[in-house]
Amino acid sequence: MQPRRHRMRKQQRRDSAREWIGSGATITVKSYAKRYGVDRYTAYDDLTALGVTLPASAGLWAQRPPSIRRPAAERDAGPVDNSWIMLDGRPFFVAGFTPYGIYEDEMQPCGDVWF
């Protein structure tokens, strides 16, 4: 299980951070993110909400980059039927993993099913 400070909600995290800031520790966006298990954008937002003055270099974390949409996965046409092979120039149906089968022109219809 993660430490308690990594499982805190927003208000709990900020209350804990007030005490941490009051202790005189060096506070940076990176140290806040690591201590509370949040990303640096959230750390920047929390620190500015708490009134901590951050250096200009921390402005990098002020705005999240726009999300990038990934292209949709191509739909598969379905399973490939590897039961038919060409044998002696004629389509041959292979019966499972056996060496047995039947040529297409030897099949006979029986109702809706071909045998």
Side-chain angles (χ1 to χ4, degrees):
M1 181 179 278
Q2 293 180 336
R4 180 179 173 273
R5 65 179 185 242
H6 286 221
R7 292 180 280 127
M8 292 181 179
R9 297 187 194 249
K10 183 186 223 179
Q11 190 58 43
Q12 293 172 325
R13 185 176 63 236
R14 286 186 179 176
D15 290 341
S16 174
R18 281 188 189 93
E19 295 175 17
W20 183 47
I21 292 166
S23 71
T26 304
I27 309 298
T28 63
V29 173
K30 181 179 178 180
S31 63
Y32 185 95
K34 186 172 182 177
R35 180 178 177 94
Y36 292 103
V38 295
D39 64 352
R40 293 184 185 183
Y41 299 104
T42 303
Y44 181 87
D45 291 342
D46 284 357
L47 289 172
T48 54
L50 292 171
V52 175
T53 54
L54 297 170
S57 61
L60 172 69
W61 306 108
Q63 185 176 2
R64 290 180 189 269
S67 61
I68 300 172
R69 294 189 55 92
R70 297 187 307 178
E74 293 181 16
R75 297 285 179 189
D76 195 12
V80 177
D81 184 14
N82 290 330
S83 300
W84 288 94
I85 61 170
M86 291 299 284
L87 188 63
D88 295 329
R90 295 168 39 198
F92 185 79
F93 180 78
V94 180
F97 295 101
T98 65
Y100 304 105
I102 188 169
Y103 286 101
E104 183 179 33
D105 56 358
E106 295 174 348
M107 297 177 81
Q108 299 173 359
C110 181
D112 292 336
V113 182
W114 284 76
F115 290 102

